[in-house]
Amino acid sequence: FFFVLADGMSEITSLCEPTSSEADGVLGGRCVDTGGINAGMLRCPRCFSRLLSQCGRLVERAGDEALLHVPRSSNASAEAADGAADSGTVTTAAAGTAADPAADTAPDGACGWDAVPHEWWWVVEDVNDVDNVALSYLVTPPAAGAIRLALCSECRCGPLGYQRDGEAKVWFAAPLLRQQDAMYADDAADFPLPAGLDVAQLQAMLDSGQATVAFKTTFEEARLGMMLQDAADGDGVEVTAFTEFEGRPGPVELSGKVKLGDKVARVNGQSTRGLDFAAVLEMIIDAPRPLTLHWERTGSRPQDASRVAHSDFKPIAGP
């Protein structure tokens, strides 16, 4: 069963029971769970590729916050441009090309913008939680600030939403996505390996460092039981040891997911790019719980369970 938000209401008002006729999903569907989170899968309206899986919070917006900025094609007829404005989407790859973020410009191949209002939006707190999306280079529609347009990465249908420059969260216009009941999820069909690539080849690519694994962990505890240092390759902050407290391993090691050498990419959705290990440690210590850490791993990592004794981190006082 799904919970659904009725039009104009901010609380759950009724239940909707999916039927076999909903296997193809509902365009603009807004079924949510008791926490207001997308209860199904959100798919591209054109090619049906899966964009989001049971994530994304439903938000009602108004005014400028409700506008989706759509680039207007320079070679489209007025009638086609009006149709794009009415639907809120364009289906060309122009939105994925470079544009000057310092000017009120549209992407290459487009001239001008249409601002299309949508009352209901899905907001995803971190782009790493999205299954399948392409983001354009920075563009700057009039009065919108610098944004990246969100497109389907398979067929380039879009824009379906946007991400503001400097923010981790991504906004998707609910009327433009097709929502499907989670019971129809098929990971093998939705996320197939590239043609000619088998699991053994993929593992070899990961082990050799040709591919990067991204994952996340969530903790309730204040003390996590790990030691961070600036990465040996000079890029980012990595785990260099696990720590123990009163003879017991910490939550990071006990999760079984994190390995030595894994890099901390985000702390509760905030990027760590450009920060040293002391700044990242302070972010982790000061962040509210539950704490979600996004990690990146390049190449194979040994399962080293050796530990060092815990010591409290003391930030260096400024001058």
Side-chain angles (χ1 to χ4, degrees), residues 15-227:
L15 289 167
C16 60
E17 182 177 0
T19 65
S20 59
S21 63
E22 293 176 339
D24 292 332
V26 178
L27 185 63
R30 301 199 304 273
C31 289
V32 298
D33 63 16
T34 54
I37 304 300
N38 163 39
M41 295 173 295
L42 298 176
R43 295 184 175 273
C44 171
R46 182 202 235 182
C47 72
F48 209 57
S49 64
R50 195 198 304 186
L51 307 179
L52 297 171
S53 301
Q54 293 179 284
C55 76
R57 177 169 48 87
L58 188 63
V59 177
E60 186 177 12
R61 309 178 84 185
D64 290 344
E65 291 296 314
L67 298 178
L68 176 63
H69 295 272
V70 180
R72 189 185 309 117
S73 175
S74 59
N75 57 8
S77 66
E79 181 180 352
D82 290 342
D86 290 340
S87 64
T89 62
V90 294
T91 54
T92 70
T97 56
D100 178 5
D104 290 341
T105 59
D108 293 345
C111 62
W113 295 88
D114 292 310
V116 184
H118 295 287
E119 181 180 6
W120 292 98
W121 292 74
W122 299 104
V123 58
V124 181
E125 295 300 324
D126 194 296
V127 68
N128 291 309
D129 294 332
V130 176
D131 291 327
N132 187 18
V133 71
L135 293 173
S136 74
Y137 292 112
L138 282 174
V139 295
T140 310
I147 61 173
R148 292 178 173 86
L149 302 176
L151 316 165
C152 171
S153 61
E154 296 293 334
C155 71
R156 294 298 190 266
C157 175
L160 304 173
Y162 66 90
Q163 180 189 51
R164 293 194 184 281
D165 185 30
E167 293 187 1
K169 65 179 61 175
V170 185
W171 294 87
F172 294 93
L176 305 183
L177 303 184
R178 188 170 291 276
Q179 188 180 48
Q180 184 190 43
D181 187 347
M183 67 183 290
Y184 297 108
D186 185 344
D187 289 350
D190 285 335
F191 309 117
L193 289 174
L197 182 68
D198 60 24
V199 175
Q201 290 175 308
L202 179 59
Q203 187 60 54
M205 290 176 62
L206 294 173
D207 291 343
S208 66
Q210 297 179 52
T212 298
V213 176
F215 63 99
K216 65 180 179 179
T217 53
T218 300
F219 304 99
E220 298 282 353
E221 299 86 352
R223 183 181 289 115
L224 300 183
M226 64 177 176
M227 181 179 293

